[in-house]
Amino acid sequence: MADQVVIPQPPEKQPVIAPGLTFAKVTEQISNIVLTRPTPGTWFILFGLSGFFVLLLGVAVTHLILRGIGIWGVNIPVAWGFAIVNFVWWIGIGHAGTLISAILLLLRQKWRNSINRFAEAMTLFAVMCAGLFPLLHLGRPWLFYWLFPYPNYMDIWPQFRSPLVWDVFAVSTYFTVSLLFWYVGLIPDLAAFRDRAKRLWVRRIYGALALGWRGSARHWKRYEMAYLLLAGLATPLVLSVHTVVSFDFAIAILPGWHSAIFPPYFVAGAIYSGFAMVLMLAIPLRAVYKLHDLVTMRHLDNCAKLMLATGLIVAYGYVIEGFTAWYSSDKFEWYMMYDRWFGRYSHAFAFLVATNILIPQLLWSRKIRRNVPALFFISLSVLTGMWLERFVIVVQSLHRDFLPSNWGMYTATRWDWAVFTGTIGFFVFMMLLFVRGLPMITIFEVRTLLPQAKVHGERRDVEGEPE
Amino acid sequence: MSNGIKELQTAAAWQPPAILGGYARRALLAGGFFTLVTLAALLFDRHQFFSSYLVGYLFCLALSLGSLAVLMMQYLTSGKWGLVSRRVLEAAAATLPLMAVAFIPIVIGMPTLYPWDRAAARSDANIMWKHGYLNVPFFLMRAVVYFAIWIWLQYRLRRWSALLDERPAPELEEHFENVSGIGLVLYVLTLTFASIDWVESLYPHWSSTMFGFLFVAGQGLASFAFVIVICLLLARTSPLGRILAPVRFHDLGKLLLTFVMLWAYFSFSQLLILWSGDLPREITYYLARIHGAWKAFCIALALAQFAFPFAMLLSKNLKRAAGPLAAMGIWILVMRWVDLYWVIQPGFSPGHFQFHVFSLSVPLALLGFWLALFFFYLRRPPLLPAFDPLLAEAIEDAEMEMGA
């Protein structure tokens, strides 16, 4: 499993996984990471570092609950500060995981098999981070259940016409379906771990989690059907969740928020940042655990292409928003756009255009798409850019609304930063626990990619047909 | 098997059937007939001619330009559905130079069509605000740029594709991808601004950031529906009958379903956002379109261009059966006309529903000529690029499903 031999072919032509693997080797390579190989030093360093930020998150949230959200920088007019920016950023990141696991499954894109597991884990942890923010932003998070329509003696119902209530349903559905999908996908691999684990207590844990999986033909038949149905359920969520998030803004009439393009443009932005996060996770994982055979240049190249495509839709959104603000001849719209380009927050906008639009154009070059460090930095740039985009949308639009007497500035406090960096720490922390305890690549699906798995004369397109 | 494929790797094996000439003649006759109807009606009344022409023009343009976009899409995704429909898409895109010529009547009708090109506009502060964009010379200049880009793209792609009739050309793959990638970006941008120029500016006080995307989805929808109908015609005869297997119709059906959903998603998003905002400068667009007989159009669009095709296309059996799928294609093409009519016509008869003989005769005349031209182009090159690397796989699929 040493360094990969360089194949002098463009990534599009290379096989999805490296040649020369066998069924046994695949299982061994993936399960040994968890079961036998010593944990790498990098893992411990990162675990300590992210653990520190998890503690910071704990401190910040405790302080917030004790003192109220006055410790944050939010006020009138900018009542939605970091909390909403971070919420939208995190939930967007989750979308790539669902796209990879559900939509690419239905489209029979087999290359997804090596990266879907950790992308799904990424989705789960990102949604956890995202969910935290609106709850904390409520002010009295212990009353969060008021958001749900439950029969109560106060006879109060949530406002069903408010997109904020739609959010509650969208995000909770998203989390539930993602969790189910991820867990169902894990079952056969958990059974493989159960069978390979040496220590009794380890075997017991994986055995309990594997729900009695024996791998009989009947198991597989029902399993495949269940998995396909879950993929069908998860597919609309890729569009619907961020569409609802975009309605949080677009349903209002505030210039900078009220724009018909918002739903597709938000969805594209979500997938864009999600693929950036997938690359930022895949590249170090593949280097640390020597997974070059399984996560190949094909994967990185495909992710980069999807990033380029969705990034272009986001760029289209900026262009058409700018043009329409002028073309609408509405003075509030045009002032908002003018202020976005030249006002007090224009540096944020300039940085956003650079990181989110200009730098990712490098991905047009095949050479750059084959350069792993470059991909890593472009992904970092995209994640920064997408965070800034939400910052500009939330803060800049709010800080200059219709009444000049109502104008004001927003500055994040140290507690805003503590919660934000705390969730990043939490995310990394959870990812580390995941790669240490569970198979980060789907063993049984990768095995289907091997040439040995092809039955002679298999009907490539007709078989395994979804729908 | 390899022997069989060798035999099919010649341009001669894919010569178009003679029947296409018959289709071209019939389309030409229909076009001529409806032109006569239009000319006769013109003697009595010129009202509504230009708005009907615009509807018909945009309908045909959707077939040409949508096919160009789908052509680029299939080069980027390299599916086998793209191989079997490629020459159909190319023939539709090849009509673009003549579509540029057909734009001339719209230029003549500009003062009738576009309120910003009338004297009254000078006293309208809102229209004068955007005078830098909405003025005749710049409007014409932009149209020239759009057509130049579209014509160049279809010319480039068709020329390279013709080389695949003669020999394998692996060196072209990268070129196809490059031109298609950049081409799709250019397509979306030019179509967006074309839709603003030609349609949105019919109501110069109104604007929506979604308008361009609605046209992109509409053209994709029209183009896939059209390709499915033509593939059905070709599947019935030799030579494409041996390669247009149910699985290919299944692929095309799925893509049609995708665009049905995409169109509905864009339309509903725009409606919900403008409705909930309820701003005077935005909601007027919908107010003019949800009252009186236009209300029926509204409901018809929601039910017949989304709900019904959506429900039907979910069925795997329907997607695999060429006949019913093509019927769905024709249905959607009709709905595309209804959609364009609903977007354009209420601006000319605010408050009440209006239907004129032109509303049918002009689009049908245009469509007749367009189809004649399309079949003329379809008849010329072989119906498949014989040296495309995917050909062997596509034939194998077909043999497996339909027997050798």
Side-chain angles (χ1 to χ4, degrees):
Chain A
M1 247 40 80
D3 283 337
Q4 193 198 5
V5 187
V6 182
I7 303 165
Q9 260 195 335
E12 303 90 73
K13 295 284 158 54
Q14 284 171 23
V16 176
I17 55 174
L21 287 168
T22 61
F23 290 136
K25 255 194 201 159
V26 168
T27 312
E28 208 172 288
Q29 198 184 347
I30 299 170
S31 62
N32 282 359
I33 291 171
V34 176
L35 296 175
T36 56
R37 261 162 62 179
T39 314
T42 329
W43 190 91
F44 283 107
I45 296 168
L46 285 173
F47 192 70
L49 209 65
S50 61
F52 168 77
F53 281 98
V54 174
L55 293 177
L56 181 68
L57 179 66
V59 172
V61 170
T62 313
H63 189 59
L64 181 90
I65 290 176
L66 290 175
R67 299 288 301 279
I69 61 168
I71 64 165
W72 283 349
V74 287
N75 210 325
I76 301 300
V78 185
W80 283 9
F82 263 34
I84 306 303
V85 175
N86 296 337
F87 162 68
V88 181
W89 188 66
W90 274 119
I91 201 130
I93 286 171
H95 278 59
T98 322
L99 182 114
I100 291 172
S101 51
I103 295 192
L104 296 188
L105 178 80
L106 293 184
L107 294 178
R108 285 174 273 141
Q109 297 288 318
K110 292 226 163 137
W111 59 276
R112 79 181 252 297
N113 288 2
S114 313
I115 58 171
N116 69 333
R117 173 68 52 70
F118 70 79
E120 282 168 40
M122 171 193 89
T123 299
L124 276 184
F125 305 142
V127 177
M128 284 180 189
C129 293
L132 191 64
F133 285 102
L135 286 184
L136 295 177
H137 193 256
L138 290 174
R140 288 182 289 172
W142 51 91
L143 296 179
F144 74 96
Y145 59 89
W146 287 11
L147 291 165
F148 291 103
Y150 69 100
N152 60 79
Y153 66 86
M154 296 176 289
D155 214 17
I156 291 174
W157 288 89
Q159 168 58 279
F160 283 110
R161 274 196 247 170
S162 161
L164 301 179
V165 175
W166 308 345
D167 255 354
V168 175
F169 291 103
V171 175
S172 52
T173 312
Y174 190 39
F175 184 74
T176 315
V177 173
S178 303
L179 182 66
L180 269 176
F181 199 42
W182 181 68
Y183 184 67
V184 169
L186 267 169
I187 291 171
D189 285 358
L190 287 169
F193 272 31
R194 171 198 63 198
D195 301 341
R196 298 176 69 86
K198 300 272 181 329
R199 293 195 204 125
L200 181 67
W201 65 274
V202 179
R203 231 171 18 231
R204 287 234 167 103
I205 291 176
Y206 287 124
L209 289 172
L211 304 176
W213 177 267
R214 294 188 313 279
S216 75
R218 193 175 296 171
H219 278 188
W220 278 112
K221 185 174 183 322
R222 291 184 181 152
Y223 176 82
E224 297 267 314
M225 179 51 77
Y227 198 63
L228 207 59
L229 285 176
L230 275 174
L233 266 180
T235 296
L237 291 175
V238 179
L239 287 173
S240 69
V241 178
H242 229 63
T243 297
V244 169
V245 171
S246 82
F247 286 155
D248 292 345
F249 300 96
I251 293 293
I253 55 167
L254 187 76
W257 286 10
H258 180 72
S259 177
I261 193 87
F262 259 35
Y265 149 72
F266 263 54
V267 171
I271 296 167
Y272 187 37
S273 61
F275 272 101
M277 189 58 104
V278 167
L279 280 176
M280 282 199 64
L281 293 173
I283 291 170
L285 280 177
R286 156 179 200 271
V288 171
Y289 291 105
K290 309 256 183 299
L291 296 171
H292 300 81
D293 292 354
L294 298 171
V295 182
T296 57
M297 283 315 287
R298 255 297 272 290
H299 294 99
L300 304 187
D301 186 65
N302 282 349
C303 288
K305 279 181 183 165
L306 277 163
M307 233 163 80
L308 179 62
T310 46
L312 286 168
I313 301 178
V314 172
Y316 175 90
Y318 298 160
V319 170
I320 207 69
E321 263 195 299
F323 174 79
T324 310
W326 172 81
Y327 180 87
S328 72
S329 71
D330 181 279
K331 63 182 171 191
F332 297 108
E333 284 282 341
W334 180 231
Y335 176 73
M336 180 282 301
M337 199 47 76
Y338 184 83
D339 181 73
R340 185 170 283 183
W341 295 339
F342 306 110
R344 300 283 290 275
Y345 288 106
S346 58
H347 53 282
F349 184 75
F351 204 48
L352 150 69
V353 170
T355 51
N356 216 22
I357 303 299
L358 298 180
I359 293 177
Q361 298 313 311
L362 291 170
L363 294 173
W364 283 96
S365 148
R366 289 186 174 81
K367 219 188 240 156
I368 298 275
R369 290 206 302 267
R370 278 166 224 169
N371 182 333
V372 177
L375 281 182
F376 189 81
F377 285 108
I378 291 171
S379 305
L380 185 63
S381 161
V382 168
L383 281 169
T384 318
M386 283 310 294
W387 189 87
L388 283 168
E389 179 196 299
R390 277 65 174 258
F391 179 84
V392 165
I393 290 174
V394 170
V395 173
Q396 186 268 335
S397 308
L398 277 172
H399 95 295
R400 291 277 183 275
D401 65 3
F402 301 96
L403 285 175
S405 60
N406 199 27
W407 290 357
M409 290 298 284
Y410 169 84
T411 324
T413 64
R414 72 180 81 167
W415 293 107
D416 280 305
W417 287 105
V419 180
F420 177 42
T421 51
T423 50
I424 297 178
F426 174 77
F427 177 80
V428 176
F429 188 81
M430 295 298 280
M431 281 309 291
L432 288 168
L433 285 181
F434 160 72
V435 298
R436 184 63 193 80
L438 292 169
M440 72 175 107
I441 292 176
T442 321
I443 301 171
F444 73 93
E445 281 184 338
V446 166
R447 285 165 57 147
T448 64
L449 295 179
L450 298 178
Q452 297 93 303
K454 297 269 178 301
V455 183
H456 182 66
E458 184 187 7
R459 299 171 73 184
R460 276 184 320 274
D461 279 322
V462 193
E463 218 144 82
E465 198 65 46
E467 289 158 44
Chain B
M1 184 105 65
S2 65
N3 214 2
I5 282 167
K6 272 264 147 31
E7 174 191 310
L8 293 172
Q9 267 182 347
T10 57
W14 302 105
Q15 283 311 314
I19 193 167
L20 294 182
Y23 292 141
R25 265 193 304 282
R26 264 178 272 171
L28 197 62
L29 276 176
F33 171 74
F34 286 109
T35 308
L36 288 178
V37 174
T38 306
L39 286 176
L42 265 177
L43 294 175
F44 299 101
D45 161 30
R46 276 184 219 172
H47 195 65
Q48 269 215 29
F49 171 77
F50 285 115
S51 62
S52 304
Y53 188 87
L54 188 62
V55 171
Y57 182 79
L58 289 170
F59 182 85
C60 295
L61 186 74
L63 301 180
S64 309
L65 201 52
S67 298
L68 175 64
V70 175
L71 185 65
M72 296 189 284
M73 200 173 119
Q74 62 88 27
Y75 278 127
L76 284 181
T77 56
S78 62
K80 273 164 265 168
W81 62 270
L83 168 69
V84 295
S85 60
R86 192 173 303 158
R87 288 286 147 89
V88 177
L89 295 167
E90 284 174 9
T95 59
L96 276 166
L98 278 164
M99 288 308 286
V101 177
F103 189 70
I104 291 169
I106 294 177
V107 176
I108 296 168
M110 273 174 74
T112 321
L113 286 169
Y114 300 104
W116 52 265
D117 191 20
R118 292 178 207 145
R122 301 248 164 74
S123 53
D124 188 320
N126 274 335
I127 297 180
M128 287 320 281
W129 166 268
K130 42 193 125 177
H131 185 70
Y133 185 79
L134 290 183
N135 60 69
V136 178
F138 193 29
F139 178 94
L140 295 178
M141 215 167 83
R142 285 194 304 270
V144 170
V145 172
Y146 305 149
F147 279 111
I149 291 173
W150 298 337
I151 290 170
W152 181 80
L153 282 172
Q154 61 88 21
Y155 173 78
R156 195 61 273 165
L157 291 173
R158 283 195 312 127
R159 277 299 287 274
W160 278 332
S161 172
L163 291 179
L164 285 171
D165 292 329
E166 319 291 333
R167 60 179 172 88
E171 78 280 3
L172 282 180
E173 257 175 67
E174 226 168 70
H175 295 321
F176 277 130
E177 267 186 33
N178 290 347
V179 168
S180 302
I182 294 166
L184 270 181
V185 174
L186 287 174
Y187 162 78
V188 173
L189 277 178
T190 47
L191 179 62
T192 297
F193 284 98
S195 71
I196 291 172
D197 291 358
W198 302 345
V199 186
E200 198 180 83
S201 84
L202 291 168
Y203 332 103
H205 295 115
W206 182 77
S207 60
S208 160
T209 43
M210 186 69 104
F211 209 67
F213 267 9
L214 278 171
F215 269 76
V216 171
Q219 292 202 341
L221 189 54
S223 169
F224 275 114
F226 176 72
V227 166
I228 286 171
V229 175
I230 300 299
C231 280
L232 170 76
L233 293 181
L234 295 174
R236 282 183 184 161
T237 57
S238 150
L240 280 198
R242 65 194 301 177
I243 198 167
L244 278 165
V247 62
R248 295 289 90 87
F249 282 100
H250 191 182
D251 289 345
L252 289 168
K254 280 189 209 169
L255 286 158
L256 185 68
L257 175 62
T258 309
F259 273 85
V260 165
M261 292 193 283
L262 209 57
W263 173 84
Y265 174 59
F266 291 161
S267 306
F268 177 71
S269 297
Q270 176 177 288
L271 172 68
L272 182 71
I273 289 167
L274 299 199
W275 169 79
S276 62
D278 205 16
L279 295 172
R281 72 179 165 81
E282 288 180 343
I283 199 66
T284 38
Y285 176 80
Y286 281 110
L287 287 180
R289 282 166 184 74
I290 55 170
H291 290 305
W294 295 116
K295 191 178 183 175
F297 273 71
C298 260
I299 297 167
L301 279 172
L303 293 181
Q305 195 171 229
F306 172 64
F308 176 62
F310 173 75
M312 299 300 281
L313 286 171
L314 282 179
S315 150
K316 180 175 166 181
N317 289 341
L318 184 126
K319 277 178 288 194
R320 292 173 63 84
L325 186 67
M328 189 48 75
I330 290 176
W331 175 274
I332 283 173
L333 285 172
V334 173
M335 288 317 295
R336 288 308 305 146
W337 173 81
V338 172
D339 191 3
L340 284 171
Y341 192 69
W342 176 76
V343 167
I344 290 170
Q345 198 58 46
F348 295 92
S349 47
H352 60 284
F353 175 71
Q354 203 158 349
F355 199 83
H356 193 274
V357 63
F358 286 144
S359 306
L360 278 180
S361 72
V362 181
L364 285 174
L366 271 168
L367 182 63
F369 292 133
W370 188 90
L371 280 174
L373 197 61
F374 163 78
F375 282 116
F376 169 75
Y377 281 116
L378 191 61
R379 256 183 80 185
R380 289 203 306 184
L383 285 174
L384 274 186
F387 288 93
D388 189 285
L390 283 174
L391 184 70
E393 275 187 39
I395 289 171
E396 206 181 303
D397 285 348
E399 281 176 354
M400 214 162 272
E401 281 204 278
M402 307 190 293

